[in-house]
Amino acid sequence: MINAKLEEEFNEQINKELYSEYLYLAMKVYFMEQNLQGFVNWFDVQVQEEHAHAIGMFNYLNERGGKIDLRAIEKPVVEGKTPLEIFEQVLKHEQYVTSRINHLADVADEVKDRAALSLLDWYIKEQVEEEATVSGVLATLKLIGDDKNALLQLDKDLAARTFVAPVIG
Ligand code: OFO
């Protein structure tokens, strides 16, 4: 049986991961409207990853005998008006998610739940990867500036990203 405080944190994080999925779906719409199909693909993969992150915690909570409590998903707001601004928002969002996962690990530590800590280790590593990937695209967008041809080249590169279902835990 999982500690009640940790159960609450997992339920909240399932909601945050589903919100991430929703936010990236909204960003995908922006790129669909711009007809930048490589970016569309990149966000498509991101959406699937976030869904997998949520389901990973959902399954874990169930496995540990916790009560799953699905909450309302906030309306996503795409703040940026350019690819660069959108990726700045993505990075900010991922940094926020990292802080949430770290908080979850702090609570697991506090209640001495080693099994949860071991699962959260996977999420901690995943966040390092997420932030690095997003920072990479952001750095390229900064270099590109107003160069439309370079933007189209990046779009081509992002078309190559594929979703690989993660093995969580
Ligand atoms: Fe679930 O990693 Fe992004 O938010």
Side-chain angles (χ1 to χ4, degrees), residues 17 20 50 53 93-94 97 127 130:
E17 298 293 342
S20 300
E50 297 304 346
H53 295 167
H93 180 69
E94 285 305 327
V97 172
Q127 281 310 119
E130 293 262 278

Side-chain angles (χ1 to χ4, degrees), residues 13 16-21 23-24 46 49-54 57 90 93-98 101 122-123 126-127 130-131 134:
Q13 192 57 30
K16 303 280 184 224
E17 298 293 342
L18 291 173
Y19 173 78
S20 300
E21 177 180 358
L23 176 65
Y24 295 145
Q46 199 67 14
E49 286 201 352
E50 297 304 346
H51 189 74
H53 295 167
M57 288 189 181
V90 174
H93 180 69
E94 285 305 327
Q95 287 165 341
Y96 165 69
V97 172
T98 298
I101 300 283
W122 184 90
Y123 281 90
E126 176 71 2
Q127 281 310 119
E130 293 262 278
E131 284 192 30
V134 175

Side-chain angles (χ1 to χ4, degrees), residues 42-121:
W42 193 92
F43 278 95
D44 214 19
V45 173
Q46 199 67 14
V47 161
Q48 293 175 80
E49 286 201 352
E50 297 304 346
H51 189 74
H53 295 167
I55 298 303
M57 288 189 181
F58 178 102
N59 289 341
Y60 182 75
L61 200 49
N62 182 47
E63 208 173 29
R64 294 288 307 277
K67 184 168 169 38
I68 294 165
D69 176 29
L70 294 178
R71 297 156 187 196
I73 302 166
E74 206 184 307
K75 180 179 166 61
V77 178
V78 180
E79 291 160 2
K81 302 256 179 299
T82 64
L84 175 72
E85 286 171 4
I86 287 180
F87 270 82
E88 278 169 347
Q89 188 185 353
V90 174
L91 183 59
K92 216 169 92 192
H93 180 69
E94 285 305 327
Q95 287 165 341
Y96 165 69
V97 172
T98 298
S99 73
R100 285 277 324 157
I101 300 283
N102 287 341
H103 170 70
L104 213 59
D106 285 346
V107 174
D109 204 27
E110 190 186 305
V111 302
K112 297 190 173 19
D113 190 328
R114 298 205 179 283
L117 273 172
S118 150
L119 175 87
L120 289 166
D121 251 357

